[in-house]
Amino acid sequence: MTVSLRDVTIREGAQMPGREYGVEDRLAAARALDRLGLDAIQSGFPAVGETDREAIRRLAGDGDVDADVVGIARATTGDVEAALDAEADVIEVFVPTSERQLDHVLGKSRDEAMAMAAGTLDRARDGGAAVHLTLVDGFRTDPAHLAAVYERFPSVPTITVADTVGARTPDSVREMVTDLVDRGVDGDRLGVHFHDDMGVAVANTLAAVDAGATAADVSVASLGERAGNAALERVVVADGVDGPGGCAAAVDRTELVPACEAALDALDESVDPRTPVLGADVTTHESGIHTAAMLRDPGTFEPFDPATFGGERRLVFGAGSGRGSARALLERAGVEPTDDRVARLLDLLAERGPMGEREAAALVDAEF
């Protein structure tokens, strides 16, 4: 099963404190992300202002991205008109469904909220846009109410259930999606959107897909409000390494790391060196125990080959290298690893290191 991955990096990232992504920044990030083969890219919230509208207008109008260009809209006429003015390919209307959100955010009854959604979806279609629907705080809503939404809007191709406040864990996600499918919801129309407030957005996404969801919102490096969203790169790698490959199959794997890095650069965002998949330290190995084994078989101390996803591993040799590492370097060069040679190489590494694998190999060639 191939899963439709829909990127929300630009739109969600812009909601973080202190962010002001310009039009050109958004265009550059979207073009980088489009190299992955994603189905949709949310480049803004048109009702927020002209920057969002212009970014959507240019991406959709220039045709320089293959993904659908999505503009989001509350279930209000003004929001939908702004999205139509931006000429978005898809207008994604969002409406609360949990009791808390209906009472304290919208101030409407469930029936009133659904009537608002119906009216705005019709207006978006009349304006020539395709439509999606997102159910805000859906994962804290009675499944019977969610199933009723799918029944009410049979012509909406994707209805996304959102874990808006990051309140769910994989077991409850799997239970909810299974419940919806058992109630007759077509998995081909079931999307999910997770926030990472408890650090399990990626696991939740994979659990939802395993239970039958076929569309998922993702964000590079978890960019997004509060703790962010399900990380695009982690969803793809985890699914490709330890799953059926449905999420990984949806993107160009060899472009994953370069495209994500290019999108971050365009938005002037960075990641901690220890960030999974994208962090520099994650694929850098210096421990003597690790490097000795990895010179013979890299998979000994890594869950996946970084090159599969466009990344690169780095073995580092220096004062911390042990006898095993020195021995392995000598053996790779065809030099008999006598005790004296191992000791001498360790001294050289301590004196001239730290250095990478190529430099260490060149040192062995030059000195032995």
Side-chain angles (χ1 to χ4, degrees):
M1 176 181 68
T2 299
V3 179
S4 174
L5 292 182
R6 301 170 182 199
D7 187 85
V8 299
T9 305
I10 301 167
R11 194 269 299 173
E12 282 275 4
Q15 292 181 241
M16 297 189 299
R19 298 320 195 268
E20 293 184 8
Y21 301 155
V23 172
E24 296 301 330
D25 302 329
R26 295 170 188 244
L27 297 182
R31 289 164 184 151
L33 291 166
D34 194 55
R35 288 156 41 189
L36 295 174
L38 300 165
D39 289 295
I41 296 174
Q42 284 186 10
S43 55
F45 185 174
V48 168
E50 183 56 30
T51 295
D52 291 61
R53 291 193 291 274
E54 180 63 14
I56 291 171
R57 190 177 295 118
R58 287 180 58 182
L59 282 170
D62 293 347
D64 58 354
V65 295
D66 292 326
D68 286 334
V69 179
V70 180
I72 67 168
R74 291 165 296 190
T76 67
T77 301
D79 275 23
V80 171
E81 293 296 342
L84 288 171
D85 178 61
E87 302 176 2
D89 297 325
V90 177
I91 296 177
E92 184 158 336
V93 173
F94 62 93
V95 64
T97 56
S98 71
E99 296 294 343
R100 280 175 169 164
Q101 295 267 339
L102 287 169
D103 289 345
H104 302 295
V105 175
L106 197 60
K108 303 286 185 181
S109 69
R110 189 174 306 281
D111 287 343
E112 289 173 321
M114 289 303 102
M116 292 171 63
T120 49
L121 288 167
D122 287 342
R123 176 66 191 102
R125 288 195 195 93
D126 290 344
V131 296
H132 291 161
L133 177 63
T134 288
L135 308 182
V136 177
D137 212 20
F139 274 94
R140 294 197 297 184
T141 302
D142 188 317
H145 293 318
L146 298 178
V149 177
Y150 284 86
E151 292 177 6
R152 178 164 183 165
F153 300 106
S155 62
V156 177
T158 300
I159 298 178
T160 294
V161 182
D163 182 20
T164 304
V165 297
R168 291 295 175 249
T169 58
D171 284 348
S172 62
V173 166
R174 188 176 286 103
E175 181 180 349
M176 172 77 86
V177 174
T178 299
D179 190 337
L180 290 174
V181 172
D182 288 345
R183 290 173 184 272
V185 172
D186 183 354
D188 287 344
R189 301 176 61 216
L190 203 166
V192 291
H193 176 107
F194 292 102
H195 280 264
D196 206 30
D197 297 73
M198 296 196 297
V200 291
V202 170
N204 283 345
T205 300
L206 297 175
V209 167
D210 183 59
T214 55
D217 289 352
V218 289
S219 171
V220 174
S222 289
L223 290 186
E225 59 183 341
R226 303 189 316 277
N229 296 77
L232 161 62
E233 67 282 355
R234 299 183 215 177
V235 168
V236 171
V237 171
D239 184 62
V241 171
D242 194 36
C247 299
V251 304
D252 182 345
R253 296 187 189 191
T254 61
E255 281 287 334
L256 180 65
V257 171
C260 288
E261 290 177 340
L264 291 172
D265 287 345
L267 299 175
D268 197 24
E269 298 284 358
S270 60
V271 297
D272 185 278
R274 299 184 67 224
T275 300
V277 182
L278 296 179
D281 288 355
V282 175
T283 52
T284 299
H285 308 266
E286 188 171 3
S287 165
I289 295 174
H290 290 192
T291 55
M294 294 180 72
L295 283 167
R296 299 182 177 92
D297 177 10
T300 305
F301 284 103
E302 62 184 16
F304 58 89
D305 182 351
T308 302
F309 302 98
E312 181 180 5
R313 81 171 60 87
R314 183 167 181 253
L315 303 185
V316 177
F317 302 90
S321 296
R323 294 181 63 83
S325 292
R327 183 180 296 275
L329 285 169
L330 291 166
E331 288 175 344
R332 286 188 60 178
V335 177
E336 183 180 354
T338 65
D339 289 345
D340 287 345
R341 286 172 178 157
V342 168
R344 182 174 169 228
L345 179 53
L346 287 174
D347 288 342
L348 289 169
L349 291 173
E351 177 187 341
R352 303 183 190 181
M355 64 182 68
E357 185 177 352
R358 290 182 182 177
E359 294 89 343
L363 176 65
V364 171
D365 289 339
E367 298 291 339
F368 296 90

